[in-house]
Amino acid sequence: MRLNTWMRAVVAFTAIILLHAAYSFFCLNKSVISQTESTATAKPNEPIYECCIERTFNNKPPHRNILFLKTHKCASSTVQNILLRFGLKHGLNFALPKTISYLAYMVNFSESVLAPETKTRDKKYNMLVHHTRYRQNLRYIMYNDTISITILREPSTRFESSFRYFRLNKAYGKNFYEFLDFIPLAENGSSQMYNTFDEKAESACRINDRNQMCFDLGLSRNSFQNITKIKQFINEIDRQFDFVMISEHLEASLVLLANLLRWPLHYVAFLSLNSRPDVKKYKLSNIEKEKLVQFNYADFLLYDHFLKKFNNCVLQYGVDSLKKDVEKLKRINDQIRHKCVIHENEQGHKKTINYKLKTNDWICTHSVKLEPRFTEELKDVQKKRLEVLGTYSNNIM
C-alpha cells in the first residue's frame, strides 16, 4: 500500500516536471519566434540596431584602415588626434590636404586636393581623418576593409558652441542672444524663414552652420526641410558607417571604438583638444534649446537615430563591463595628465583650452599637438617614407 502511494507520488512529480519543461520550452521558442517575426516583418527602411562587439580578439590584428568623417564642434579634433597618433606610430599613409586642414569641403572631392608629395603609388590610403564633406567617391582612395566612423553631438549645444567658435554673429548679423530671440518657435517644428538661411548660404558657398552635421555627412541644404529625404539620408549613413560615436559620452564611445578596432585601451587615451572651458559654455533654457532643435531639425533626427543605436551598443557590450572599461580609460587619461600637464590655460586657438607641458615626451607632445602642426609633421614623415619606397622600387625595376 505504501509502495503504491509512493509510486503514484513519483509519477505525479515526474508529470509535473515534464509539464514544466514543456511549458518552458514553449515559452522560450515563442519568445525566439516572436523576435524572428518582428525582425522579418520590420519595414525595409526601419533600422535594426546591431553592433559588432567582440569579447575576445583571438589574436586578430588591429584595424589600420580608417575613414573618420570629422564633424564640426563634436569633439572631433580629440578623436582625430587619437587616430593621427596611431597612424604616425604605425607608419600608416594618410590622405593629406594640399592646403590648410580641409579636403575638398565645398567642392567635389578629387585627387587634386591631396598634397602631391604625399600621394601613394596605388592611390590608396590607410587613413582619412581631416575635414571633408562625405561623398561616395571618398571610398575610392580607401582600402576595401576600411572602417568608417564619425561622431555626433546634441544639436542645440553643438550649434551654440559653433556660433561662438566660428563667430557666426558676422554671418547672421546678430549676436547669439539676439539670434535666439529672432528665430521662431514654430508650431509644426519648421519655419519657411529657415529656407532663407539655406539659400543665402548656398549662393555664397559658405557655412551657415544650420544642420551642420547632416551637411558634413552629405545632405544637401535643399533637403533640410524634407522629412522623407532626411530619413532616407539617415538610413543611408547607417548603412555606410560602421560606428557613430556620441560626443556627450566620449569615453564610452572610445571604449566601444577600441573594441571595434581591436585596439588596446591606451591607444584611445586623450587630452581634450579645441574645447572651451565649461564656465564659458552658455546654458540654454528649455525654450532656447527647443528653438535650436527646430532650427537644426535634420541634425536632431540624425542625432536621435544614432543615439538610440549607441545606447543599444552599450547594452550589447554590457553596462557593467562598459563602466569598468570607462573607468580604466579615465585612469589612463589621468596618468597622462599627471605625467604631461603642468596646468591648463585658454591660450589655444580662439581661446580654447591649451596645455603647459612638463616634458617633451612623445605621448605628451603629440596628445596636445593641434591639427595644423600635426598635419605638417605627417606630410614630412610620409614624404620621406614614400621617397624611400619609391627609390627602392626603381632599383629593383
Side-chain angles (χ1 to χ4, degrees), residues 145-282:
D145 63 347
T146 293
I147 298 290
S148 300
I149 59 176
T150 189
I151 186 167
L152 303 177
R153 180 179 178 183
E154 192 282 314
S156 62
T157 55
R158 193 217 64 82
F159 185 86
E160 183 273 332
S161 174
S162 200
F163 195 103
R164 296 176 186 279
Y165 185 84
F166 291 111
R167 295 176 182 147
L168 294 177
N169 56 304
K170 295 180 180 179
Y172 289 120
K174 302 175 189 305
N175 65 34
F176 185 64
Y177 310 106
E178 291 170 339
F179 180 79
L180 287 174
D181 288 337
F182 175 66
I183 59 173
L185 186 62
E187 291 181 6
N188 298 322
S190 66
S191 169
Q192 290 304 309
M193 186 187 79
Y194 299 162
N195 290 331
T196 305
F197 293 113
D198 302 331
E199 289 166 3
K200 285 183 178 179
E202 195 70 46
S203 62
C205 196
R206 62 171 173 77
I207 299 171
N208 80 340
D209 218 67
R210 173 164 131 80
N211 293 315
Q212 190 65 51
M213 295 186 295
C214 281
F215 188 77
D216 287 343
L217 284 162
L219 184 66
S220 63
R221 289 193 175 104
N222 60 17
S223 298
F224 280 177
Q225 294 192 194
N226 186 321
I227 300 299
T228 300
K229 287 186 178 180
I230 293 169
K231 290 182 177 180
Q232 289 172 348
F233 161 78
I234 291 170
N235 289 333
E236 189 61 31
I237 293 300
D238 198 350
R239 282 190 288 272
Q240 295 188 30
F241 280 76
D242 298 285
F243 182 49
V244 176
M245 293 173 279
I246 300 296
S247 175
E248 289 80 12
H249 306 291
L250 184 57
E251 286 92 352
S253 291
L254 290 171
V255 168
L256 293 172
L257 179 65
N259 182 274
L260 173 66
L261 298 178
R262 305 188 198 119
W263 288 7
L265 212 51
H266 68 270
Y267 279 13
V268 296
F270 68 93
L271 294 171
S272 293
L273 294 179
N274 216 21
S275 62
R276 292 176 297 161
D278 288 340
V279 294
K280 297 293 180 70
K281 297 175 183 177
Y282 178 70

